[in-house]
Amino acid sequence: MTSGGDAGVGGLTEALRRFADERDWGQFHTPKNLAMALAGEVGELLAELQWLTPEESATVMADPEAGGRVRAEIGDVMIYLVRLADVLGIDLVEAATDKLADSARRYPVERARGSAAKAPDA
Amino acid sequence: MTSGGDAGVGGLTEALRRFADERDWGQFHTPKNLAMALAGEVGELLAELQWLTPEESATVMADPEAGGRVRAEIGDVMIYLVRLADVLGIDLVEAATDKLADSARRYPVERARGSAAKAPDA
Amino acid sequence: MTSGGDAGVGGLTEALRRFADERDWGQFHTPKNLAMALAGEVGELLAELQWLTPEESATVMADPEAGGRVRAEIGDVMIYLVRLADVLGIDLVEAATDKLADSARRYPVERARGSAAKAPDA
Amino acid sequence: MTSGGDAGVGGLTEALRRFADERDWGQFHTPKNLAMALAGEVGELLAELQWLTPEESATVMADPEAGGRVRAEIGDVMIYLVRLADVLGIDLVEAATDKLADSARRYPVERARGSAAKAPDA
C-alpha cells in the first residue's frame, strides 16, 4: 500500500492544521496533550486486536465490520501523530527514515536474520 | 513541516518492508505484535513528556538533547504505524483523511469553536 | 485512601479468577492478551485527562460525571493488572514494594529533592 | 497469588506517599502526569511481550531474566496506579470491585460462556 497520488503527509498536515485553526483548538494542542491523545487512540486500536490470536489478527481486514473499525483507529492514530509532529516542527517521514538508518546499523542483516530480539527499533 | 521531496509514506513503506524481509522478520510482524510494538513506542514518547508542563512540552525541541529524544521516539512510532498499515493493507494517509472528514461532520466549526470536548476524532 | 476492611488485592484476585472461570474466559487470558487489554484501558483513562491542564486534572473528581468516568477507568485498569499478575504468578504488592526499594536506592532523598528527572521508577 | 501478610494496597499507598513527600515530588504528581507515567510503564511491559506468541507469553516467568523484567515492569505499573488512585482519592480495590459487579450484570454467565467479545470490562 502506498499513499495515492494525493498530497501525502504534507497535505494531511495542512488539512489538520486548518481543521484545528477553524475550531480554535490550537490552544489544546500542546505536545503533551497530543501525545496523550495519540496514546488514547493506540489504546482503542489495541482493544480491537487484544482477544485475537496473532493469526486471526492477520486476517482481520477480511471482516468488513472489524476491519472497518481497525482502519478507523489507524486513521485516528495517524491524525494525532501527524498533528503532534507538526506542532513540534518534526518531519515525520524524515524522523522515521533517520531512525531506520540507525536500526540498519544496529541490526546488520547477517546477525539479525530470523531473530526478532527487538526490531526494528529496539 | 511537510515531508520533503522524498518518496513520502510510500517510500518509507517500501524501505520498511525491505528491512523486515532482509532480516526474515515478517514472521514476527503480525498486526497484533506490531500494534503492541507501536504502543510500546508511544509509551516511550509519553515518558519524555510526562513531567513537563504543557507549556514546557511546547518548547521541548529547543533543547537539543530532549528534542533529539522526542524526534527519535516520534520516528519509532511512525515506523511501526507505517509497518502495521502495510501488513493490514491500509493506506495510512487515506484512512486519516477519511476519519478527518468524519470529524468535520461531527464537529461543525460553529459549534465546536474553542471547546475541545474531544477533538479532532472523539 | 486505603482499601477498606475487605480482602484487598487477594480477594479481588479470587473474584476475577472466578469471574473468568465461570465464563470459560481463561483461554483468552494469556499474559500477552491481558497486557494489551491493560493498555487499552489505560488509553481510555488517558482520554479522560488529555485535554485537561494538570491543574484541572487535580480537581477532576469534584465533577461527579467526569470523576465517575475516571474512577470507572481506574477500576478497569486495576482489574486487568490484577488478572495479569495472577496468571503470571506475580504478587502485585510485593513486586511494587521491591521496585520501590530499588528506587529508594537510586534516588536518595538528598539528591532527588525537588527534581523529578524520572520518578519514582525511572 | 494473594498479597502476603503485609499491609497490602494501603501500606503501599502510604509508602509511595512518603517516598514522594521526602523528595518533594508531590508537585509533579498531578493526575495528568501520573496517568502518562502509568501509560509509559505499560508501554515497557508491552515491549517485553510484543514478539512472544500468546503461548510463549504464558511461560515467560520460567525464564529468570525475562521473567524478572516482566515482574519489575508490573511493579512499576502498580506503583503509578496506586499513586494515581491516591492523589485522586480513589480506593483502587473498591473501584475495581464495583466495576466487576457491573461486568457481572452485563455479561451473565449463561450468555458470555466461551466468547470473549470483550471481557471482563468491555
Side-chain angles (χ1 to χ4, degrees), chain C residues 1-4 6-17 19 21-25 27-39 41-42 44-46 49-55 57-61 67 70-81 84-100 103-105 107-109 112-122, chain D residues 1-4 6-17 19 21-25 27-39 41-42 44-46 49-55 57-61 67 70-81 84-100 103-105 107-109 112-122:
Chain C
M1 292 286 117
T2 60
S3 67
D6 65 356
V9 177
L12 181 57
T13 301
E14 292 295 336
L16 287 169
R17 201 184 294 171
F19 186 92
D21 284 350
E22 285 172 355
R23 284 156 187 79
D24 199 19
W25 282 353
Q27 56 182 313
F28 304 111
H29 287 189
T30 61
K32 186 178 181 92
N33 289 5
L34 289 167
M36 291 179 80
L38 172 66
E41 296 301 334
V42 170
E44 293 190 35
L45 176 62
L46 291 179
L49 303 170
Q50 67 198 14
W51 307 125
L52 305 184
T53 64
E55 295 71 30
S57 79
T59 59
V60 70
M61 300 308 291
V70 167
R71 185 175 184 274
E73 297 305 343
I74 296 249
D76 280 337
V77 173
M78 181 65 168
I79 281 175
Y80 281 116
L81 182 57
L84 174 59
D86 187 38
V87 303
L88 287 169
I90 291 171
D91 184 307
L92 208 45
V93 173
E94 217 176 80
T97 304
D98 289 355
K99 204 63 204 299
L100 183 61
S103 295
R105 274 188 294 274
Y107 297 92
V109 169
R113 222 176 154 68
S115 105
K118 293 185 86 185
D121 70 290
Chain D
M1 290 288 118
T2 60
S3 67
D6 65 357
V9 177
L12 181 57
T13 300
E14 292 296 335
L16 288 170
R17 201 184 294 171
F19 186 91
D21 284 351
E22 287 171 354
R23 284 158 187 78
D24 197 19
W25 283 353
Q27 57 183 314
F28 304 111
H29 287 187
T30 61
K32 187 178 179 91
N33 289 5
L34 289 168
M36 290 179 80
L38 173 64
E41 295 301 335
V42 170
E44 293 191 37
L45 177 62
L46 290 180
L49 302 171
Q50 67 198 14
W51 306 125
L52 304 185
T53 63
E55 294 72 31
S57 80
T59 59
V60 70
M61 301 307 291
V70 166
R71 186 176 183 274
E73 296 306 342
I74 296 251
D76 281 337
V77 173
M78 181 66 169
I79 281 175
Y80 281 115
L81 181 59
L84 174 60
D86 187 38
V87 303
L88 288 168
I90 291 172
D91 184 307
L92 208 46
V93 173
E94 218 176 77
T97 304
D98 288 356
K99 203 63 204 303
L100 183 61
S103 295
R105 274 188 294 275
Y107 297 93
V109 169
R113 221 177 156 69
S115 104
K118 295 184 88 187
D121 72 290

Side-chain angles (χ1 to χ4, degrees), chain A residues 22 41 52 80 113 119 121, chain B residues 22 32 41 80 113 119 121:
Chain A
E22 286 171 353
E41 295 302 335
L52 304 185
Y80 281 116
R113 219 174 156 69
D121 71 292
Chain B
E22 285 171 356
K32 187 178 181 92
E41 295 302 335
Y80 281 116
R113 220 174 155 71
D121 71 293

